[in-house]
Amino acid sequence: MPGLEGKVALITGAGRGQGAAEARRFVAAGVRVVVTDVLADDGKSVAEELGDSAVFVPLDVADQEQWRLAVSTAVEMFGRLDVLVNNAAIYGTRPLLEETAERLERFYRVNTIGAVLGIQACAPVMREGGGGSVVNISSAAGLAGYPGHAGYGATKWALRGLTKTAALELAPYRIRVNSVHPGVIDTPMIAGALSGADEDFPHVPLRRAGRPEEVAELVLFLASDTSSYITGAEFTIDGGALTGPALQDGR
């Protein structure tokens, strides 16, 4: 994809799963990456694997001061910051009537407030550099209702709304903001619900879970100049699950 060589990206939750896949794909495309995560060992391992094109910074996305350190490290190490991928999230399910205020607050602090703090920390640097791209990783649960997802789903709907507002406010600075809405993706975050990416999923028209690398390709496209006229948009990557009723056996 054009317009990626020399860019610098900061990816949250990049120690494993989708974030790690995104970091690897970005570096393969010539992007230098600030790998961030609260999982220090995992984050360091990914950064070491990627060599001189990556650096690890521990980051709790709900901590404003840690965001300042991550952004300043990007500028000190690589001289600029062009892309922010708000990938970090926590996941869990529980019936609505059993949900607690404490769990809801934790979901919001990581999944939504963390993205707000990230945009606030990164956008000024992008503005000074002439523009940039923010990719917010929401969820299919941010586009439709799912039983048991009152806490998680509410934060992903909020992230969808944040994307729209940020896209409007940051457009004058040539900073684009888009959201990605993955369905079932075979990552450690939801490992307990999956036995493998090739398992048959009758509710998904493509009959399988997605792979982190497939999401990474979409995120890379939104970070690149190939998507230069796209902002405030939503991209679903769910094997067709939200398109309509899944096809049955004998299709």
Side-chain angles (χ1 to χ4, degrees), residues 104 107-108 111-112 141-142 144 149-160:
L104 286 170
F107 277 128
Y108 270 101
N111 297 358
T112 307
H149 286 67
Y152 175 80
T155 63
K156 292 303 188 176
W157 278 83
L159 187 56
R160 178 187 180 191

Side-chain angles (χ1 to χ4, degrees), residues 6-246:
K7 286 186 182 290
V8 176
L10 190 157
I11 304 175
T12 67
R16 60 182 188 176
Q18 288 179 192
E22 290 154 7
R24 294 184 181 104
R25 185 64 185 92
F26 273 50
V27 168
V31 180
R32 291 167 292 176
V33 175
V34 180
V35 175
T36 75
D37 209 308
V38 292
L39 303 173
D41 290 343
D42 291 342
K44 289 177 182 176
S45 178
V46 171
E48 290 171 359
E49 169 195 334
L50 297 176
D52 293 339
S53 294
V55 61
F56 171 70
V57 179
L59 175 61
D60 175 352
V61 295
D63 188 316
Q64 192 168 28
E65 187 56 40
Q66 290 188 31
W67 268 109
R68 293 191 186 100
L69 176 60
V71 172
S72 65
T73 299
V75 175
E76 291 169 8
M77 292 291 295
F78 300 130
R80 57 189 297 144
L81 181 60
D82 307 281
V83 180
L84 166 63
V85 182
N86 279 315
N87 172 79
I90 56 175
Y91 175 78
T93 62
R94 181 174 290 184
L96 171 60
L97 298 184
E98 298 174 14
E99 193 57 88
T100 66
E102 291 77 16
R103 273 172 49 97
L104 286 170
E105 288 176 358
R106 185 163 181 261
F107 277 128
Y108 270 101
R109 287 201 62 78
V110 176
N111 297 358
T112 307
I113 295 174
V116 172
L117 296 179
I119 294 172
Q120 289 176 336
C122 296
V125 179
M126 293 181 182
R127 180 177 59 194
E128 292 175 6
S133 173
V134 176
V135 183
N136 292 325
I137 308 299
S138 180
S139 169
L143 293 170
Y146 287 85
H149 286 67
Y152 175 80
T155 63
K156 292 303 188 176
W157 278 83
L159 187 56
R160 178 187 180 191
L162 170 66
T163 298
K164 303 292 189 184
T165 298
L168 292 173
E169 293 192 12
L170 299 180
Y173 310 120
R174 298 181 64 191
I175 299 173
R176 300 180 296 106
V177 188
N178 295 287
S179 60
V180 170
H181 299 260
V184 179
I185 307 297
D186 190 12
T187 67
M189 189 171 77
I190 60 170
L194 301 177
S195 62
D198 294 325
E199 179 182 354
D200 185 57
F201 287 83
H203 65 287
V204 177
L206 290 184
R207 296 302 186 95
R208 66 174 176 86
R211 294 183 293 273
E213 293 77 14
E214 293 172 307
V215 179
E217 292 291 344
L218 175 55
V219 175
L220 186 74
F221 164 71
L222 293 173
S224 76
D225 291 346
T226 304
S227 61
S228 59
Y229 199 54
I230 299 175
T231 194
E234 302 164 352
F235 293 82
T236 306
I237 178 166
D238 67 347
L242 293 183
T243 303

